[in-house]
Protein backbone atom coordinates (compact mmCIF):
# COMPACT_ATOMS: atom_id res chain seq x y z
CA UNK A 1 0.00 0.00 0.00
CA UNK A 2 1.08 3.56 -0.69
CA UNK A 3 1.56 6.59 1.55
CA UNK A 4 0.22 9.86 0.12
CA UNK A 5 0.48 12.94 2.35
CA UNK A 6 -0.11 16.13 0.38
CA UNK A 7 -1.03 18.54 3.19
CA UNK A 8 1.26 17.61 6.07
CA UNK A 9 2.45 20.26 8.54
CA UNK A 10 4.88 18.48 10.83
CA UNK A 11 7.47 20.40 12.86
CA UNK A 12 9.26 17.22 13.97
CA UNK A 13 10.93 14.38 12.12
CA UNK A 14 8.77 12.46 9.66
CA UNK A 15 9.22 8.69 9.44
CA UNK A 16 7.70 6.62 6.65
CA UNK A 17 7.41 2.86 6.15
CA UNK A 18 5.76 1.01 3.28
CA UNK A 19 5.52 -2.73 2.70
CA UNK A 20 6.12 -4.30 -0.71
CA UNK A 21 8.27 -3.58 -3.75
CA UNK A 22 5.58 -1.50 -5.50
CA UNK A 23 4.57 0.61 -2.51
CA UNK A 24 5.31 4.32 -3.02
CA UNK A 25 5.45 7.25 -0.61
CA UNK A 26 4.72 10.91 -1.36
CA UNK A 27 4.98 13.62 1.29
CA UNK A 28 4.62 17.41 1.07
CA UNK A 29 5.35 19.27 4.29
CA UNK A 30 4.24 22.86 4.84
CA UNK A 31 7.50 23.80 6.56
CA UNK A 32 10.98 22.27 6.64
CA UNK A 33 11.02 18.50 6.19
CA UNK A 34 13.24 16.40 8.45
CA UNK A 35 13.08 12.80 7.31
CA UNK A 36 13.54 10.34 10.15
CA UNK A 37 13.87 6.61 9.58
CA UNK A 38 12.31 5.96 6.18
CA UNK A 39 11.80 2.66 4.39
CA UNK A 40 10.01 2.78 1.05
CA UNK A 41 9.74 -0.30 -1.12
CA UNK A 42 9.41 1.58 -4.40
CA UNK A 43 9.48 5.33 -5.12
CA UNK A 44 9.77 8.29 -2.74
CA UNK A 45 8.72 11.86 -3.56
CA UNK A 46 9.45 14.43 -0.85
CA UNK A 47 8.76 18.19 -0.90
CA UNK A 48 9.36 20.92 1.67
CA UNK A 49 7.17 23.93 0.95
CA UNK A 50 8.81 26.57 3.15
CA UNK A 51 12.11 25.16 4.42
CA UNK A 52 15.00 22.76 4.03
CA UNK A 53 14.99 19.01 3.57
CA UNK A 54 17.25 17.09 5.94
CA UNK A 55 17.59 13.56 7.30
CA UNK A 56 17.91 12.59 10.95
CA UNK A 57 17.59 8.90 10.12
CA UNK A 58 18.49 6.47 7.36
CA UNK A 59 16.38 6.81 4.20
CA UNK A 60 16.10 3.47 2.39
CA UNK A 61 14.35 3.53 -0.99
CA UNK A 62 13.96 0.53 -3.28
CA UNK A 63 12.98 2.61 -6.30
CA UNK A 64 13.59 6.22 -7.32
CA UNK A 65 13.86 9.22 -5.01
CA UNK A 66 12.85 12.82 -5.62
CA UNK A 67 13.54 15.72 -3.23
CA UNK A 68 12.29 19.29 -3.80
CA UNK A 69 12.56 22.50 -1.80
CA UNK A 70 9.95 24.94 -3.09
CA UNK A 71 11.05 28.02 -1.13
CA UNK A 72 13.79 30.29 -2.42
CA UNK A 73 17.29 29.41 -1.19
CA UNK A 74 16.23 26.42 0.90
CA UNK A 75 18.72 23.55 1.05
CA UNK A 76 18.66 19.78 0.65
CA UNK A 77 21.06 17.95 2.98
CA UNK A 78 20.84 14.16 2.90
CA UNK A 79 23.76 12.43 4.57
CA UNK A 80 22.27 8.96 5.11
CA UNK A 81 20.45 8.14 1.88
CA UNK A 82 20.27 4.59 0.55
CA UNK A 83 18.39 4.88 -2.73
CA UNK A 84 18.56 2.02 -5.21
CA UNK A 85 17.00 3.94 -8.08
CA UNK A 86 17.74 7.32 -9.62
CA UNK A 87 17.84 10.38 -7.37
CA UNK A 88 16.35 13.73 -8.44
CA UNK A 89 17.14 16.95 -6.57
CA UNK A 90 15.51 20.34 -7.03
CA UNK A 91 16.28 23.59 -5.22
CA UNK A 92 15.15 27.12 -5.92
CA UNK A 93 17.37 30.20 -5.71
CA UNK A 94 21.05 31.04 -6.09
CA UNK A 95 21.96 29.78 -2.61
CA UNK A 96 19.70 26.75 -2.60
CA UNK A 97 22.40 24.12 -2.10
CA UNK A 98 22.14 20.34 -2.22
CA UNK A 99 24.29 17.72 -0.50
CA UNK A 100 23.66 13.99 -0.95
CA UNK A 101 25.56 10.94 0.29
CA UNK A 102 24.18 7.67 -1.08
CA UNK A 103 25.13 4.35 0.47
CA UNK A 104 25.34 2.61 -2.90
CA UNK A 105 25.86 3.89 -6.44
CA UNK A 106 24.36 7.30 -7.14
CA UNK A 107 22.41 7.79 -10.37
CA UNK A 108 21.19 11.33 -10.96
CA UNK A 109 17.80 11.74 -12.57
CA UNK A 110 16.93 15.22 -13.87
CA UNK A 111 18.36 17.55 -11.24
CA UNK A 112 18.28 21.33 -10.88
CA UNK A 113 20.29 22.95 -8.08
CA UNK A 114 20.32 26.73 -7.85
CA UNK A 115 23.36 26.85 -5.57
CA UNK A 116 26.10 24.30 -4.99
CA UNK A 117 25.91 20.53 -5.37
CA UNK A 118 27.98 18.06 -3.32
CA UNK A 119 27.46 14.40 -4.23
CA UNK A 120 29.06 11.27 -2.80
CA UNK A 121 28.56 7.59 -3.63
CA UNK A 122 29.83 5.48 -0.77
CA UNK A 123 30.16 2.06 -2.42
CA UNK A 124 29.45 2.50 -6.14
CA UNK A 125 29.65 4.68 -9.23
CA UNK A 126 28.11 8.09 -9.90
CA UNK A 127 26.12 8.34 -13.15
CA UNK A 128 23.44 10.50 -14.74
CA UNK A 129 20.26 9.22 -16.35
CA UNK A 130 18.93 12.80 -16.56
CA UNK A 131 20.22 16.32 -17.06
CA UNK A 132 22.19 17.89 -14.20
CA UNK A 133 21.89 21.69 -13.97
CA UNK A 134 23.85 23.50 -11.25
CA UNK A 135 24.03 27.25 -10.77
CA UNK A 136 27.00 27.14 -8.40
CA UNK A 137 29.87 24.72 -7.91
CA UNK A 138 29.66 20.94 -8.21
CA UNK A 139 31.60 18.26 -6.36
CA UNK A 140 31.45 14.53 -7.10
CA UNK A 141 33.18 11.84 -5.03
CA UNK A 142 33.25 8.05 -5.22
CA UNK A 143 34.56 6.75 -1.89
CA UNK A 144 35.10 3.10 -2.83
CA UNK A 145 38.11 1.94 -4.83
CA UNK A 146 37.90 1.81 -8.63
CA UNK A 147 34.43 3.33 -8.91
CA UNK A 148 33.82 5.64 -11.87
CA UNK A 149 32.06 8.97 -12.28
CA UNK A 150 30.23 9.07 -15.62
CA UNK A 151 28.23 12.22 -16.38
CA UNK A 152 27.68 11.93 -20.09
CA UNK A 153 24.32 13.60 -20.67
CA UNK A 154 25.01 16.04 -23.50
CA UNK A 155 22.79 18.78 -22.06
CA UNK A 156 24.36 18.93 -18.60
CA UNK A 157 24.98 22.50 -17.44
CA UNK A 158 27.24 22.98 -14.42
CA UNK A 159 28.05 26.67 -14.23
CA UNK A 160 30.64 26.86 -11.45
CA UNK A 161 33.83 24.90 -10.87
CA UNK A 162 33.39 21.12 -11.04
CA UNK A 163 35.59 18.93 -8.84
CA UNK A 164 36.10 15.17 -8.89
CA UNK A 165 37.58 12.70 -6.44
CA UNK A 166 37.95 8.97 -7.12
CA UNK A 167 39.85 6.25 -5.27
CA UNK A 168 41.83 3.17 -6.21
CA UNK A 169 43.59 0.31 -4.48
CA UNK A 170 45.48 -0.76 -7.60
CA UNK A 171 45.21 -0.18 -11.33
CA UNK A 172 43.96 3.42 -11.40
CA UNK A 173 40.50 2.61 -12.76
CA UNK A 174 38.52 5.28 -10.91
CA UNK A 175 37.74 7.00 -14.20
CA UNK A 176 35.83 10.23 -14.80
CA UNK A 177 33.80 11.27 -17.86
CA UNK A 178 32.06 14.64 -17.99
CA UNK A 179 30.09 16.26 -20.81
CA UNK A 180 28.98 19.76 -19.82
CA UNK A 181 26.86 20.38 -22.89
CA UNK A 182 27.06 23.94 -24.20
CA UNK A 183 28.20 25.29 -20.83
CA UNK A 184 31.87 26.13 -20.24
CA UNK A 185 33.61 23.54 -18.06
CA UNK A 186 35.77 24.85 -15.22
CA UNK A 187 37.68 21.99 -13.57
CA UNK A 188 38.25 22.70 -9.90
CA UNK A 189 40.80 20.99 -7.63
CA UNK A 190 40.45 17.28 -8.43
CA UNK A 191 42.20 14.00 -7.76
CA UNK A 192 41.26 11.35 -10.29
CA UNK A 193 42.79 7.94 -9.78
CA UNK A 194 42.06 6.84 -13.31
CA UNK A 195 41.44 8.54 -16.65
CA UNK A 196 39.65 11.83 -17.32
CA UNK A 197 37.50 12.52 -20.39
CA UNK A 198 36.03 16.04 -20.55
CA UNK A 199 33.87 17.76 -23.19
CA UNK A 200 32.34 21.22 -23.56
CA UNK A 201 30.55 22.91 -26.45
CA UNK A 202 30.90 26.44 -25.12
CA UNK A 203 33.20 29.08 -26.64
CA UNK A 204 34.83 29.33 -23.21
CA UNK A 205 35.63 25.66 -23.51
CA UNK A 206 37.52 23.82 -20.79
CA UNK A 207 39.60 25.59 -18.13
CA UNK A 208 40.95 24.80 -14.67
CA UNK A 209 40.67 26.90 -11.51
CA UNK A 210 42.44 24.33 -9.32
CA UNK A 211 45.06 21.62 -9.55
CA UNK A 212 43.74 18.72 -11.64
CA UNK A 213 45.62 15.51 -10.80
CA UNK A 214 44.95 12.57 -13.12
CA UNK A 215 46.77 9.27 -12.58
CA UNK A 216 45.64 7.87 -15.93
CA UNK A 217 45.11 9.35 -19.37
CA UNK A 218 43.50 12.70 -20.14
CA UNK A 219 41.24 13.50 -23.08
CA UNK A 220 39.83 17.00 -23.55
CA UNK A 221 37.52 18.12 -26.36
CA UNK A 222 35.47 21.13 -27.39
CA UNK A 223 32.77 20.11 -29.85
CA UNK A 224 31.13 23.43 -30.80
CA UNK A 225 31.55 27.22 -30.96
CA UNK A 226 35.34 27.13 -31.56
CA UNK A 227 35.77 26.33 -27.89
CA UNK A 228 39.20 26.65 -26.34
CA UNK A 229 41.12 24.44 -23.94
CA UNK A 230 43.22 26.25 -21.33
CA UNK A 231 44.60 24.05 -18.55
CA UNK A 232 47.33 25.71 -16.53
CA UNK A 233 47.49 23.47 -13.45
CA UNK A 234 47.27 19.96 -14.88
CA UNK A 235 49.17 17.03 -13.33
CA UNK A 236 48.56 14.23 -15.82
CA UNK A 237 50.47 10.97 -15.58
CA UNK A 238 49.22 9.22 -18.73
CA UNK A 239 48.84 10.14 -22.39
CA UNK A 240 47.19 13.45 -23.33
CA UNK A 241 44.62 13.87 -26.12
CA UNK A 242 43.34 17.28 -27.24
CA UNK A 243 40.60 18.07 -29.77
CA UNK A 244 39.22 21.57 -30.28
CA UNK A 245 36.36 22.68 -32.49
CA UNK A 246 37.46 24.51 -35.69
CA UNK A 247 39.78 27.38 -34.67
CA UNK A 248 39.69 26.73 -30.92
CA UNK A 249 43.14 27.07 -29.38
CA UNK A 250 44.65 24.78 -26.75
CA UNK A 251 47.11 25.69 -23.97
CA UNK A 252 48.42 23.08 -21.54
CA UNK A 253 50.78 23.35 -18.58
CA UNK A 254 51.48 19.90 -17.12
CA UNK A 255 53.40 19.29 -13.90
CA UNK A 256 55.29 16.34 -15.40
CA UNK A 257 56.27 15.11 -18.85
CA UNK A 258 53.65 15.10 -21.59
Amino acid sequence: ADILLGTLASTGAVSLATNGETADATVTNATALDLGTVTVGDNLVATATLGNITDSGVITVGGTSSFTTAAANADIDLGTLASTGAVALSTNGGTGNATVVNATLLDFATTGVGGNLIATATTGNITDSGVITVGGTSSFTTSADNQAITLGTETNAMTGAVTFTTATAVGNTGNVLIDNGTTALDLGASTIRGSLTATSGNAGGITDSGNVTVLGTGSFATDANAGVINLGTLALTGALTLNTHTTGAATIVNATAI
Side-chain angles (χ1 to χ4, degrees), residues 170-235:
V170 63
N172 293 331
T173 58
N175 302 324
V176 172
L177 182 149
I178 171 72
D179 190 328
N180 209 34
T182 57
T183 300
L185 176 58
D186 174 13
L187 294 169
S190 298
T191 301
I192 298 166
R193 294 171 175 87
S195 64
L196 170 61
T197 303
T199 305
S200 171
N202 188 275
I206 301 172
T207 59
D208 55 353
S209 57
N211 295 326
V212 181
T213 302
V214 183
L215 301 186
T217 61
S219 177
F220 305 92
T222 57
D223 57 6
N225 297 309
V228 300
I229 299 172
N230 190 349
L231 301 173
T233 55
L234 187 62

Side-chain angles (χ1 to χ4, degrees), residues 42-130:
D42 202 5
N43 304 321
L44 170 64
V45 178
T47 303
T49 304
L50 291 176
N52 303 326
I53 296 179
T54 57
D55 56 351
S56 56
V58 176
I59 304 172
T60 304
V61 183
T64 62
S65 304
S66 174
F67 303 94
T68 300
T69 51
N73 302 317
D75 297 333
I76 297 171
D77 191 352
L78 303 172
T80 55
L81 184 62
S83 179
T84 303
V87 177
L89 306 173
S90 179
T91 69
N92 179 21
T95 60
N97 303 320
T99 299
V100 58
V101 178
N102 202 46
T104 59
L105 65 84
L106 177 54
D107 175 25
F108 277 101
T110 299
T111 290
V113 176
N116 303 325
L117 170 64
I118 300 174
T120 303
T122 304
T123 60
N125 302 323
I126 296 178
T127 58
D128 58 349
S129 55

